[in-house]
């Protein structure tokens, strides 16, 4: 009976997060774009796996949201297989200080509200950027990108034309974490 209760609680938490991810317009969209999206019919999304903050475990995005968007300024790229079996393109980029980052591009993520858009030194020409930090622990998770035309001071998050570039070393797959925990538990029980 205890296992069924744990399973039920875990699935209820997954359902709650997914509903918040898709319905909380203040977190994922600007107020202007949320009114237009509410008139569209809702679509169900099969959750493959979560990306979580490596520092605190807060939900960041879904592996379903991985995009194949290339930066012409990337130093290199490679394919990485996620715990779900899905392929993700990992690109290496470098900032003006010479610091290199390996990034995965996703269409939606859960970031805290931060400063205004920057038009300088974008890895994706035609897009402005701003930092994406974990809403719980404020760890730098990556960047948000928005087309120059719509990157206004009153827009907190990217529109549907925007995207997020997450630093692969600052996120981890929840499925991978769970596989490690389940293995340890299985070893302790034997």
């Amino acid at each position: 009976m205890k296992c069924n209760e744990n399973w039920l609680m875990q699935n209820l938490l997954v359902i709650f997060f997914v509903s918040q991810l898709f319905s909380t317009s203040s977190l994922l969209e600007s107020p202007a774009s949320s009114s237009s999206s509410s008139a569209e019919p809702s679509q169900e999304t099969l959750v493959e796996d979560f990306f979580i903050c490596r520092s605190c475990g807060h939900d960041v995005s879904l592996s379903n949201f991985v995009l194949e968007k290339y930066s012409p300024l990337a130093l290199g790229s490679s394919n990485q297989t996620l715990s779900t079996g899905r392929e993700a393109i990992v690109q290496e980029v470098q900032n003006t200080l010479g610091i290199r980052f390996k990034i995965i591009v996703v269409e939606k993520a859960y970031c805290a509200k931060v400063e205004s858009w920057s038009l300088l030194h974008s890895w994706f020409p035609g897009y402005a950027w701003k930092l994406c930090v974990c809403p719980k622990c404020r760890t730098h998770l990556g960047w948000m990108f928005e087309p120059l035309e719509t990157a206004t001071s009153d827009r907190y998050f990217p529109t549907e034309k925007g995207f997020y570039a997450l630093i692969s070393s600052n996120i981890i797959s929840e499925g991978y974490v769970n596989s490690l925990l389940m293995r340890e538990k299985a070893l302790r029980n034997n």
Side-chain angles (χ1 to χ4, degrees):
M1 186 69 171
K2 186 81 168 166
C3 290
N4 287 339
E5 290 173 3
N6 288 339
W7 179 85
L8 180 62
M9 287 303 293
Q10 288 175 345
N11 283 320
L12 287 174
L13 287 172
V14 167
I15 292 168
F16 174 75
F17 172 70
V18 171
S19 68
Q20 291 299 309
L21 188 62
F22 289 105
S23 67
T24 308
S25 60
S26 64
L27 296 175
L28 297 176
E29 303 174 14
S30 71
S33 65
S34 63
S35 60
S36 64
S37 64
S38 62
E40 297 174 6
S42 64
Q43 297 178 356
E44 291 186 24
T45 300
L46 177 63
V47 176
E48 292 178 2
D49 198 3
F50 289 95
F51 289 132
I52 61 175
C53 173
R54 192 177 286 263
S55 296
C56 71
H58 192 271
D59 294 326
V60 175
S61 188
L62 297 173
S63 64
N64 303 48
F65 295 151
V66 171
L67 293 176
E68 288 190 22
K69 182 151 188 82
Y70 294 93
S71 166
L73 302 175
L75 303 173
S77 65
S78 63
N79 285 331
Q80 180 177 331
T81 304
L82 304 175
S83 63
T84 60
R86 178 187 286 263
E87 292 285 320
I89 298 165
V90 178
Q91 301 175 71
E92 187 171 16
V93 293
Q94 182 174 311
N95 68 12
T96 55
L97 298 174
I99 302 170
R100 293 182 177 199
F101 301 94
K102 291 186 177 181
I103 59 170
I104 297 173
V105 177
V106 295
E107 62 182 283
K108 293 182 182 180
Y110 190 66
C111 303
K113 290 182 182 178
V114 293
E115 75 276 348
S116 61
W117 298 98
S118 174
L119 306 176
L120 302 173
H121 311 293
S122 178
W123 295 314
F124 296 91
Y127 289 87
W129 62 273
K130 65 166 73 175
L131 292 178
C132 171
V133 297
C134 177
K136 185 175 179 183
C137 70
R138 300 294 191 207
T139 294
H140 178 210
L141 298 174
W143 299 266
M144 299 182 247
F145 289 88
E146 178 67 13
L148 294 174
E149 311 81 56
T150 53
T152 58
S153 60
D154 61 337
R155 181 167 307 286
Y156 296 111
F157 300 99
T159 60
E160 290 179 6
K161 294 181 181 178
F163 57 92
Y164 299 76
L166 302 176
I167 302 169
S168 63
S169 61
N170 291 359
I171 59 171
I172 192 166
S173 160
E174 186 177 52
Y176 178 70
V177 171
N178 289 339
S179 73
L180 294 176
L181 296 174
M182 295 305 286
R183 182 167 188 237
E184 284 296 316
K185 187 174 181 180
L187 291 174
R188 278 196 312 265
N189 290 340
N190 289 333

